[in-house]
Amino acid sequence: MSLAQVAAAARSSAALPLTLAVAAVDVDAPAEDEAVGGAAVGVDDTVVLPVASASKLLLLAEVARRLDTGELTAGQPVEILPEDVTGGTGLLGRLSRPGWTVEDLAWLTAAVSDNTATNALLRLVGLPATARLAAGLGLDRLTLHDRVRDERGPDVPPVFATGTARDLARLVALAVRGTMASPAASARLLGWMRANTDHGLVPALIDHDPYAPGFPEPLPGRLLVANKTGTDTGVRADAGVIVGARRVAYAVVAHWDVALGPSTERAAVHDIRDVGLALAAWAQRPAPDLTGRRRGAGPDRALGPAGSGSGGP
């Protein structure tokens, strides 16, 4: 499986009435290969689209950064206010306990895309902080516009978040390399992503174990995945990393006109899963031999054992 075949899997949707944006980065390729495009692939990856809850990765990244700097503490209590509570995905609005910590809310946001937890974290850190982090990481087209709402009237942004597949994949790649703010913040973000319970898009047809211990050390003959999905009307998105012989950071975003009916949604999900198979085949290829390359040319393998604090989630 080659990069070209990953792109071909994405382009197969061209005849369908939808946009399928794909970006993928071979994290273990030499740094200079990515600089010339040899370690990355993109199809419509610079198109700005609604990305739904996949954008919560940016919020979680800012929370992870603040936990690392000490601006926040993991056990810090966060009161859930009435304006935080919303429907859609999540559990918090249905539970009786009134008090939660910063880390509790991060786990809920990552694991079940909890909208109430998301709103509480957004209120805690503020939308401008997520914009500053995105700008500092060079992710200029990944934007959280608003909190999660049950209904969107004319006086609020029309969507929760927008972004490109390229920016989402780059955010994940930075975390995998340990350069998303810091190694510790990167590791924390990846650990949260590993808890995601929705494996119905990119990982759906991949032979992987979502509960295997020892992440990110690959299992013989199998793959590991850490990801964050997003679902909204006319939108399906998935951003994450597939760990095999090499590590592939990816983002896939499908967008379509819901007036076309449920068959288009089924086609979008089918195509996303096909891209997942192509990405998995790429991740199973032997990692490049960096012997003899100039010192420092290879990526920093910052993804370490769980709980390491300096490279593992």
Side-chain angles (χ1 to χ4, degrees):
M1 177 60 65
S2 67
L3 294 180
Q5 287 169 298
V6 174
R11 292 192 178 100
S12 69
S13 69
L16 298 173
L18 60 87
T19 298
L20 186 69
V22 176
V25 178
D26 185 343
V27 179
D28 291 307
E32 64 266 29
D33 285 1
E34 186 179 347
V36 298
V41 65
V43 175
D44 287 334
D45 59 324
T46 62
V47 178
V48 177
L49 298 168
V51 293
S53 291
S55 63
K56 293 175 183 177
L57 285 177
L58 181 59
L59 169 63
L60 291 170
E62 173 61 14
V63 173
R65 185 196 69 77
R66 292 192 184 199
L67 287 172
D68 184 45
T69 62
E71 297 169 72
L72 294 175
T73 60
Q76 178 178 332
V78 181
E79 183 182 2
I80 304 301
L81 301 181
E83 58 263 34
D84 296 330
V85 180
T86 187
T89 55
L91 300 170
L92 199 55
R94 300 168 174 86
L95 300 178
S96 59
R97 177 180 167 186
W100 303 86
T101 67
V102 169
E103 186 117 42
D104 289 338
L105 298 180
W107 283 114
L108 284 162
T109 298
V112 293
S113 203
D114 196 293
N115 288 334
T116 298
T118 296
N119 282 345
L121 288 175
L122 271 175
R123 178 171 48 79
L124 184 66
V125 304
L127 285 170
T130 65
R132 286 192 297 271
L133 179 62
L137 296 175
L139 311 175
D140 297 330
R141 288 169 291 183
L142 180 58
T143 307
L144 295 173
H145 298 287
D146 193 17
R147 65 181 177 87
V148 183
R149 299 176 185 270
D150 289 326
E151 296 182 1
R152 295 202 166 272
D155 56 337
V156 298
V159 294
F160 169 58
T162 55
T164 66
R166 178 178 295 185
D167 278 0
L168 282 169
R170 284 180 172 178
L171 175 57
V172 176
L174 289 170
V176 175
R177 287 178 175 140
T179 56
M180 193 295 296
S182 71
S186 298
R188 193 184 291 270
L189 175 60
L190 289 164
W192 290 334
M193 291 169 61
R194 178 66 175 159
N196 176 41
T197 57
D198 181 5
H199 285 204
L201 293 175
V202 166
L205 305 180
I206 297 174
D207 183 16
H208 72 291
D209 187 343
Y211 307 110
F215 177 83
E217 294 303 318
L219 300 173
R222 302 187 75 183
L223 298 167
L224 299 176
V225 176
N227 71 324
K228 179 73 190 75
T229 54
T231 298
D232 204 348
T233 304
V235 180
R236 295 292 181 275
D238 190 336
V241 58
I242 301 174
V243 178
R246 63 180 71 211
R247 301 168 297 169
V248 177
Y250 69 85
V252 186
V253 182
H255 183 254
W256 66 93
D257 183 349
V258 295
L260 296 171
S263 61
T264 305
E265 178 180 349
R266 289 193 294 270
V269 171
H270 181 274
D271 277 12
I272 291 172
R273 291 173 175 176
D274 277 351
V275 171
L277 288 173
L279 291 167
W282 181 11
Q284 288 170 321
R285 293 176 58 204
D289 182 4
L290 302 181
T291 303
R293 289 186 179 268
R294 64 177 174 83
R295 186 175 181 180
D300 176 16
R301 199 170 183 85
L303 207 60
S308 69
S310 61

